[in-house]
Amino acid sequence: MKTTLEELQAFVAVVDGGSITAAADALGQTVSGVSRALARLETKLDTTLLRRTTRRTELTEEGHAFLQRTRAILASIDDAEEHMAARRQQPAGRLRVNAATPFMLHAVVPLVPAFRKAYPQITLELDTDELNIDLLERRTDVAIRIGHLRDSTLHARPLCTSRIRVLASPAYLEAQGKPRSVQDLARHTLLGFTQPESLNRWPLRGTHGDEWPVAPQITASSGETLRQLALQGVGMVCLSDFMTTADRARGDLVQVLAKDTVDVRQPISAVYYRNTQLAARIACFLDFLQERMG
């Protein structure tokens, strides 16, 4: 059987206090509890560490040798606890973050300078992927996910929501004409996603309901690719505000069919595996994102 921290602490407390009674007072335990812990330790080690008489307690030769190593062990534990406390006050270490390429580029990357300034001892590792990944397999601390979550093994921290709109460049609309109704989309070049298929149901109301399923002439796995195609005037696209706000502000992309558009907002969440104690480097990153995106 392995010795326990409680037994080691009891042993050192008896030596330092000179008696089991003094050790019990120092540890805030009962005399019988300390006595049992000491007895268990000697049984496990199969040796006598202390000679106890009615007047005093003294170390055996084996006890002297064991005491030196025990003090080193307890000192190492104290040092480790102090180190972790310091990390909580000033988080440090490697933080692996995963997000879809558009969200990483348009939402996370602009926040990196301020985060690095606030937490210079955290080493960021930014990874992009268009599909939901296995956090454990990819050794990812935090993943940013867009849409409704299904994985119950994950903790989720809501960050914000982002509206989706149908957009086109002024050059495309000048060349192809501006659609006046949802039905007019049939004569336009539509840009859509390879997967999931749900992203090709645009939030446009009509006799069909509040979603319009489109059959894109050009598809891509990344929203950033579709954004670039739309900026080049290739076709019309349906994208989230987090990646097109600046484009719309500059007039590089304009919303079409605004009066027919349903106000649909995608939930954006930070997810991480369930732990009893969240590492400080992860907690501060989640707080940072939530404060600036919320």
Side-chain angles (χ1 to χ4, degrees):
M1 294 176 64
K2 301 289 186 180
T3 58
T4 66
L5 180 59
E6 177 191 6
E7 293 161 357
L8 297 180
Q9 289 173 328
F11 170 56
V12 172
V14 170
V15 174
D16 291 344
S19 70
I20 292 179
T21 301
D25 290 340
L27 296 173
Q29 298 180 13
T30 63
V31 171
S32 60
V34 173
S35 180
R36 285 194 299 270
L38 191 57
R40 286 196 305 271
L41 179 60
E42 290 182 322
T43 299
K44 291 176 182 178
L45 297 175
D46 193 22
T47 190
T48 300
L49 300 174
L50 293 163
R51 293 191 187 93
R52 296 177 287 280
T53 67
T54 55
R55 293 187 177 183
R56 63 178 181 174
T57 300
E58 62 180 25
L59 284 165
T60 63
E61 183 177 345
E62 292 79 10
H64 275 290
F66 191 69
L67 177 64
Q68 183 177 358
R69 292 180 178 275
T70 300
R71 289 196 190 279
I73 291 170
L74 296 179
S76 295
I77 292 173
D78 288 341
D79 180 66
E81 289 178 344
E82 290 176 4
H83 178 68
M84 293 309 297
R87 284 173 67 98
R88 286 194 297 271
Q89 295 171 2
Q90 183 59 49
R94 184 175 300 277
L95 179 66
R96 298 176 176 87
V97 181
N98 176 277
T101 302
F103 194 84
M104 185 70 78
L105 292 175
H106 296 281
V108 177
V109 168
L111 298 178
V112 168
F115 182 78
R116 288 284 300 147
K117 185 176 180 180
Y119 302 101
Q121 295 185 42
I122 292 180
T123 302
L124 279 175
E125 185 176 301
L126 305 179
D127 181 43
T128 57
D129 202 307
E130 307 314 318
L131 302 175
N132 287 349
I133 62 160
D134 185 309
L135 272 64
L136 282 181
E137 182 181 338
R138 296 284 286 272
R139 299 177 63 202
T140 297
D141 296 307
V142 178
I144 312 299
R145 292 189 175 171
I146 302 169
H148 296 287
L149 302 174
R150 297 180 181 177
D151 194 339
S152 61
T153 66
L154 299 175
H155 271 308
R157 175 85 69 91
L159 298 176
C160 60
T161 60
S162 185
R163 189 176 180 185
I164 55 176
R165 308 169 194 263
V166 180
L167 307 163
S169 70
Y172 174 86
L173 295 176
E174 182 177 352
Q176 303 298 328
K178 193 171 184 178
R180 299 184 179 278
S181 69
V182 176
Q183 286 71 25
D184 287 349
L185 294 179
R187 61 180 179 81
H188 284 273
T189 300
L190 306 182
L191 311 175
F193 287 86
T194 306
Q195 58 176 313
E197 186 58 34
S198 60
L199 294 179
N200 292 328
R201 295 196 292 269
W202 292 6
L204 298 171
R205 68 170 60 87
T207 55
H208 54 277
D210 287 343
E211 286 185 338
W212 180 264
V214 300
Q217 285 77 30
I218 300 175
T219 59
S221 61
S222 170
E224 182 60 23
T225 301
L226 298 177
R227 171 179 170 269
Q228 292 293 336
L229 289 170
L231 287 169
Q232 294 299 318
V234 175
M236 298 175 58
V237 71
C238 182
L239 295 173
S240 189
D241 279 357
F242 72 78
M243 62 187 300
T244 63
T245 297
D247 298 327
R248 289 183 289 109
R250 290 190 300 264
D252 295 336
L253 291 176
V254 296
Q255 184 175 2
V256 297
L257 298 173
K259 64 180 178 60
D260 298 309
T261 299
V262 180
D263 187 351
V264 173
R265 298 174 186 269
Q266 294 175 312
I268 299 174
S269 308
V271 299
Y272 52 95
Y273 268 102
R274 297 179 182 273
N275 294 313
T276 54
Q277 183 64 43
L278 192 62
R281 70 186 188 283
I282 299 176
C284 71
F285 182 72
L286 294 176
D287 292 342
F288 185 90
L289 289 184
Q290 192 168 43
E291 179 182 346
R292 283 157 180 76
M293 294 181 181

